[in-house]
Amino acid sequence: MSEIGRLLGAGKEAEVFEHGTLALKLYKPGRPKAPAFREAASLAIAEKLSLPAPRVHVVGDYHGRWGLLMDRVTGASLADEMAPEPPLSAIKEMAALHLRLHREPGTGLPSLKSRLSANIESAEPLTQDLRDRLLLTLAALPDGDRVCHGDFHPWNILGSGSDAMIVDWLDACSGNPAADVCRTYLLMRRVLPAIAEAYVVTYAKAAELPADEIFTWLPVIAAARLAEEVPEENEDLLHLAALAPVDG
């Protein structure tokens, strides 16, 4: 078995290391085993659907940390092409990849609306009145059964063209594509606000979907994000969550 090599990337939940010719994603110390198995299951579904995602080989405990051994993805992130001035081609490429996921059935993945509901329930900054309003709003939004990545943004797209791969599948769900695109908008809006707007417009045009149907999800997507405990975002997220209609 190869030794753990150099660090390739790091996020809030995990770090990715070289491991021979493969990549080893290790969740942070103290994290339970469930996220590793959940992401592995999502990657197995993506592989069965021939989606552009790394193939998972092993799930296990590595020196006290749970992780996944998977194909190593090479190439720069799509985000590198978007700074400082993004070409329209990069935004269109991102939308085309997203649409490719959304054409596939999300059979076997957890429910997106159930996950949003659970996160809204656990988001401490929400008042009970606002939480109840958001849950009514969520219940009234349309269901869906498509593959939704849940963390789709240009930093999670590595390589380009036919070699592009989507990584970080922990939050993959079955649900409404408009909700998944709204989540992408929310994740991009703080760092790349102009690109976030352009992305929604580009995706909506390609999907022949009114952009308003995407933004309708914004209050509940923002409220659910509060459960992820990113303090510097709380003020903006609470403002967006409060846009939920009073009558649901």
Side-chain angles (χ1 to χ4, degrees):
M1 179 68 73
S2 301
E3 292 296 317
I4 296 175
R6 67 185 178 95
L7 180 69
L8 298 173
K12 182 184 174 186
E13 299 290 335
E15 298 169 314
V16 181
F17 298 88
E18 284 185 346
H19 199 272
T21 59
L22 302 175
L24 176 64
K25 179 174 183 176
L26 291 179
Y27 283 90
K28 296 292 179 69
R31 290 282 284 154
K33 67 173 70 174
F37 281 92
R38 189 166 76 238
E39 183 166 11
S42 296
L43 286 168
I45 290 170
E47 180 183 353
K48 183 178 180 182
L49 294 170
S50 299
L51 292 172
R55 188 163 54 104
V56 66
H57 298 273
V58 180
V59 182
D61 183 330
Y62 295 82
H63 307 292
R65 296 169 64 178
W66 284 94
L68 302 84
L69 194 61
M70 65 186 85
D71 289 346
R72 191 194 305 176
V73 182
T74 58
S77 76
L78 189 62
D80 293 339
E81 292 185 35
M82 292 187 167
E85 195 67 38
L88 182 58
S89 60
I91 298 174
K92 285 183 173 180
E93 179 182 353
M94 183 174 161
L97 273 174
H98 217 172
L99 274 166
R100 183 173 171 186
L101 303 190
H102 295 158
R103 292 190 188 103
E104 299 296 338
T107 306
L109 293 171
S111 162
L112 174 57
K113 287 183 79 171
S114 294
R115 179 168 292 172
L116 290 173
S117 178
N119 284 352
I120 291 170
E121 289 277 14
S122 66
E124 292 185 3
L126 297 172
T127 64
Q128 191 58 50
D129 285 347
L130 180 53
R131 181 178 288 109
D132 291 343
R133 203 166 96 212
L134 287 156
L135 291 172
L136 284 172
T137 299
L138 175 61
L141 287 165
D143 292 314
D145 62 356
R146 302 289 93 186
V147 171
C148 294
H149 182 268
D151 200 20
F152 190 86
H153 53 68
W155 293 271
N156 276 341
I157 301 169
L158 304 181
S160 60
S162 60
D163 295 326
M165 298 285 277
I166 306 163
V167 299
D168 204 354
W169 286 73
L170 175 62
D171 295 321
C173 286
S174 175
N176 191 309
D180 202 32
V181 178
C182 190
R183 165 78 173 180
T184 295
Y185 167 79
L186 185 71
L187 294 173
M188 293 174 65
R189 98 183 221 125
R190 279 179 65 86
V191 184
L192 302 167
I195 300 174
E197 293 274 0
Y199 182 70
V200 171
V201 171
T202 302
Y203 178 95
K205 183 177 180 181
E208 298 181 349
L209 176 74
D212 286 351
E213 290 190 19
I214 295 169
F215 287 118
T216 299
W217 288 84
L218 191 53
V220 297
I221 296 293
R225 171 76 168 165
L226 285 164
E228 297 173 45
E229 299 180 351
V230 187
E232 63 271 21
E233 296 184 12
N234 280 7
E235 184 178 353
D236 186 44
L237 293 174
L238 281 168
H239 170 73
L240 295 172
L243 298 177
V246 175
D247 61 358

